[in-house]
Amino acid sequence: MAEFAQKHLTLCLKLVYLRMRMKHPREYKYILFDLDGTLTNPALGITNSVMYALKKFGIEVKVRADLYKFIGPPLTYSFKEYYGFTDEQALMALSYYRERFSAGGLFENEIYAGMAELLSELHGSGRHLILATSKPEEFAVKILEHFSILEYFTFVAGNTLNESRPEKRDVIGHIMKNIPSLTPDNAIMVGDRKYDVLGAAEFNLPCIGVLYGYGGREELESAGAVQLAESVDALKRILLGE
């Protein structure tokens, strides 16, 4: 209990520090973007794939919106947290999920209006855009290609098919290892869930929370997002200083 309290206090102090040292977002050379709920709306493909996996265990889901909580956190965590699966069952469910997702679920998806234009402008201004997703890189690249936005990204980082980078902190750590010039002084994260904010904070990176995704204001503010954007247009104003 004392160890948990100490870790919580340390994190709170770190988030206060990040807010205090926050520069104007247009001054950051590197921008790390989450994928689901930030660049694209993946709800249909993810929920269809989760439904497919749960059905293999005899579980029928009647309300699609009940599965929106699967958008963001690692899938094995969600199967265990929300349906009480064992580690073994969660890995089996993940396998079923990917079976359905790779067969078409990854394209049951839509890019948020104005996002492609924003990425183009950021790229044109000399910023280095990096994808930081908990989705396997193989799927992430296909999605970026599908929406014709892969060209704007300097580096794409995600989980692996063998689950070696399941959490956002693992992904960001992988990015920083591969891009030594990226530091807390020149990089910022953009995401829609607390996992983005907290994962970034572990490396002293500030995070802008977007409210058009799946986290919501309370979740992002509690996690310590340094700024909130209610829309893609609002995000554009923040990042480009317009």
Side-chain angles (χ1 to χ4, degrees):
M1 188 60 142
E3 183 179 354
F4 172 80
Q6 181 61 44
K7 286 183 178 179
H8 181 69
L9 176 60
T10 300
L11 179 60
C12 288
L13 291 173
K14 182 177 286 190
L15 293 171
V16 170
Y17 168 72
L18 288 176
R19 284 199 177 103
M20 289 177 63
R21 67 186 293 274
M22 170 79 176
K23 298 185 292 187
H24 192 286
R26 68 170 175 266
E27 297 180 35
Y28 290 97
K29 178 180 179 181
Y30 295 96
I31 305 175
L32 283 63
F33 280 97
D34 171 48
L35 177 58
D36 295 338
T38 301
L39 301 181
T40 71
N41 183 350
L44 186 60
I46 288 179
T47 54
N48 279 342
S49 300
V50 172
M51 286 178 180
Y52 175 85
L54 291 175
K55 195 170 183 179
K56 296 287 188 179
F57 292 87
I59 301 171
E60 295 278 353
V61 178
K62 291 184 170 55
V63 181
R64 183 181 298 274
D66 289 345
L67 299 178
Y68 287 169
K69 55 188 173 234
F70 274 79
I71 303 173
L75 287 166
T76 50
Y77 163 86
S78 296
F79 282 119
K80 290 187 286 187
E81 177 72 12
Y82 304 126
Y83 287 91
F85 282 14
T86 63
D87 288 344
E88 183 178 356
Q89 288 173 322
L91 286 174
M92 191 177 300
L94 177 63
S95 178
Y96 289 136
Y97 170 93
R98 287 180 176 169
E99 182 179 297
R100 169 66 175 76
F101 193 75
S102 62
L106 74 169
F107 299 135
E108 293 172 335
N109 195 347
E110 57 184 14
I111 189 168
Y112 288 111
M115 183 54 70
E117 293 79 6
L118 171 58
L119 297 175
S120 176
E121 286 191 51
L122 289 169
H123 178 73
S125 71
R127 316 289 272 284
H128 294 279
L129 310 185
I130 297 167
L131 190 74
T133 177
S134 295
K135 191 183 295 302
E137 287 177 9
E138 180 179 321
F139 295 153
V141 169
K142 289 180 180 179
I143 291 168
L144 296 183
E145 287 179 331
H146 178 71
F147 291 114
S148 301
I149 55 175
L150 179 61
E151 64 183 293
Y152 303 129
F153 288 86
T154 301
F155 192 77
V156 174
N159 194 1
T160 62
L161 291 174
N162 65 0
E163 291 291 287
S164 65
R165 294 192 292 270
E167 297 189 27
K168 192 55 62 88
R169 63 182 176 183
D170 303 320
V171 175
I172 296 175
H174 173 67
I175 292 168
M176 298 190 77
K177 181 179 179 180
N178 281 273
I179 308 178
S181 58
L182 188 156
T183 71
D185 290 322
N186 63 17
I188 192 168
M189 177 81 200
V190 179
D192 71 311
R193 298 298 309 271
K194 64 181 180 181
Y195 311 100
D196 302 307
V197 182
L198 298 176
E202 293 214 20
F203 297 91
N204 292 322
L205 302 180
C207 182
I208 297 171
V210 299
L211 297 177
Y212 54 80
Y214 290 89
R217 182 179 297 276
E218 183 178 350
E219 175 180 315
L220 291 166
E221 286 182 341
S222 296
V226 293
Q227 274 185 275
L228 297 177
E230 295 189 356
S231 64
V232 175
D233 282 343
L235 180 62
K236 178 180 178 179
R237 289 193 293 272
I238 291 171
L239 294 176
L240 290 170
E242 297 182 353

